[in-house]
Amino acid sequence: MKEFISLKIDYAFKLIFGKEGNETILTAFLNAALKLPQERRIEAITIMNPELNKEYQGDKKSILDVRAETSEGMQINIEIQLSNQYDMEKRSLYYWAEMYSRQIREGMAYKELAKAVTINILDFNYLKQTSNYHNVFHLYEDEEKFQLTDALEMHFMELPKLLAKWRNREISPWENELVRWLLLLEGADNQEILQTLEEIAMKDPVLHQAMTAWEETSDDPRIREAYFDRRKAVLDEKAAIREAELRLKEALEKGRVAGIAAGKAEVAKKLLNLGFEITKVAEATGLSEKDIKSLKD
């Protein structure tokens, strides 16, 4: 069995989708994600940050995103996240604002500013309001829902929701290009997905190019060493976030229990003041008769 590096690790994702020479792969993914009409599909793209500095690979706080610009000037940022840091919408909005504003040059008219797009690929469920794995946000008027401008576009792609729909056969990588590109990120951990994509790649030359690059990259000893360093840093961060979530949950539960106890005591005091017997107060509140006697005293 082939052993692939996981494309859900941002370092590996960038090696395939954000590397100079792989512009065709990135273009195919973006055309599938943005769902542009045929006459406006992306034909050429420039990767703006192809470098992969080794000093960042072990840094948990570094963001190995993919930034690109189309031949029409559209600005695009792609980020992949394994754990929920509860800031994705603000982080995405910040990246959008940064991309949009840095286009401006002296003497440039605002109408010349190109569209900016952020794409967030998440390995966790984030948007509780929907079961859709791909959601796109724009600026719309509240009541009549007409669009103010298409300059802002934010995508959220949630892999767990994608996998759930794939397992239930609600979606098919044979029929949907975006599904096949997102399932590619799961291929290292799922032999059925990998085999399906290999079959599709026989008819999809760009997917074939991506899978060939992925296999060659996975076989490179130096890349594997750097990959495992980055993987450890990312998974350590994910574990730390999970630990913090559990501790917060425990603290909230303790606070809830303490709050319930305090509330019961307050009710018990009021019942005693109204002249209820201790046994009746105990029955009503769930407190012990001993505790209620203490409150009465």
Side-chain angles (χ1 to χ4, degrees), residues 76-133:
I76 300 168
N77 185 90
I78 307 171
E79 181 181 348
I80 187 162
Q81 283 285 336
L82 293 190
S83 55
N84 187 358
Q85 299 184 39
Y86 305 98
D87 61 0
M88 283 308 305
E89 71 281 3
K90 292 184 179 179
R91 183 204 296 264
S92 190
L93 188 59
Y94 177 82
Y95 285 166
W96 176 87
E98 184 181 43
M99 283 194 299
Y100 193 67
S101 62
R102 71 183 176 195
Q103 298 178 65
I104 199 73
R105 299 289 183 271
E106 187 175 349
M108 182 179 179
Y110 287 113
K111 66 179 181 180
E112 297 178 70
L113 291 171
K115 180 177 183 176
V117 179
T118 61
I119 298 176
N120 306 286
I121 304 174
L122 311 178
D123 195 31
F124 52 89
N125 291 330
Y126 189 66
L127 299 171
K128 297 180 175 61
Q129 302 90 332
T130 177
S131 63
N132 292 335
Y133 66 90

Side-chain angles (χ1 to χ4, degrees), residues 15-233:
L15 282 171
I16 304 304
F17 291 89
K19 182 181 178 182
E20 284 184 334
N22 288 355
E23 287 84 358
T24 303
I25 297 171
L26 179 59
T27 299
F29 168 73
L30 290 174
N31 279 325
L34 302 183
K35 296 183 173 65
L36 298 171
Q38 189 63 38
E39 67 275 10
R40 292 177 51 208
R41 285 171 71 87
I42 300 169
E43 298 293 338
I45 200 162
T46 301
I47 298 172
M48 306 301 291
N49 63 336
E51 70 285 344
L52 263 171
N53 297 325
K54 187 174 179 59
E55 59 266 27
Y56 293 117
Q57 292 162 19
D59 182 359
K60 297 177 186 179
K61 298 188 181 298
S62 65
I63 303 299
L64 299 182
D65 55 355
V66 175
R67 295 196 299 275
E69 181 178 333
T70 71
S71 56
E72 301 298 320
M74 185 192 305
Q75 307 291 307
I76 300 168
N77 185 90
I78 307 171
E79 181 181 348
I80 187 162
Q81 283 285 336
L82 293 190
S83 55
N84 187 358
Q85 299 184 39
Y86 305 98
D87 61 0
M88 283 308 305
E89 71 281 3
K90 292 184 179 179
R91 183 204 296 264
S92 190
L93 188 59
Y94 177 82
Y95 285 166
W96 176 87
E98 184 181 43
M99 283 194 299
Y100 193 67
S101 62
R102 71 183 176 195
Q103 298 178 65
I104 199 73
R105 299 289 183 271
E106 187 175 349
M108 182 179 179
Y110 287 113
K111 66 179 181 180
E112 297 178 70
L113 291 171
K115 180 177 183 176
V117 179
T118 61
I119 298 176
N120 306 286
I121 304 174
L122 311 178
D123 195 31
F124 52 89
N125 291 330
Y126 189 66
L127 299 171
K128 297 180 175 61
Q129 302 90 332
T130 177
S131 63
N132 292 335
Y133 66 90
H134 180 204
N135 294 279
V136 188
F137 295 86
H138 296 91
L139 284 175
Y140 288 97
E141 199 281 330
D142 282 353
E143 292 186 7
E144 298 187 42
K145 309 304 179 187
F146 60 85
Q147 193 175 61
L148 176 65
T149 173
D150 71 347
L152 183 149
E153 185 168 308
M154 296 171 60
H155 294 246
F156 291 85
M157 302 175 183
E158 299 167 81
L159 296 179
K161 293 179 181 178
L162 172 87
L163 279 176
K165 289 184 178 294
W166 172 74
R167 291 191 185 103
N168 292 331
R169 298 301 185 253
E170 297 175 38
I171 54 176
S172 168
W174 289 95
E175 300 170 1
N176 188 311
E177 290 183 23
L178 180 59
V179 169
R180 73 182 63 158
W181 286 112
L182 291 177
L183 283 178
L184 186 66
L185 306 186
E186 299 286 352
D189 303 317
N190 190 306
Q191 189 63 28
E192 182 183 354
I193 288 175
L194 185 60
Q195 184 175 345
T196 300
L197 294 177
E198 287 175 339
E199 293 172 4
I200 295 173
M202 295 175 69
K203 298 182 179 181
D204 183 338
V206 183
L207 180 62
H208 182 271
Q209 178 188 347
M211 296 191 72
T212 300
W214 184 24
E215 184 173 0
E216 292 173 352
T217 298
S218 298
D219 288 340
D220 188 317
R222 290 174 297 179
I223 288 178
R224 289 184 68 83
E225 181 181 358
Y227 161 78
F228 282 114
D229 284 346
R230 178 63 180 177
R231 180 175 178 271
K232 182 180 184 302

Side-chain angles (χ1 to χ4, degrees), residues 270-277:
K270 290 181 179 179
L271 292 175
L272 289 170
N273 289 336
L274 290 172
F276 281 80
E277 297 178 0

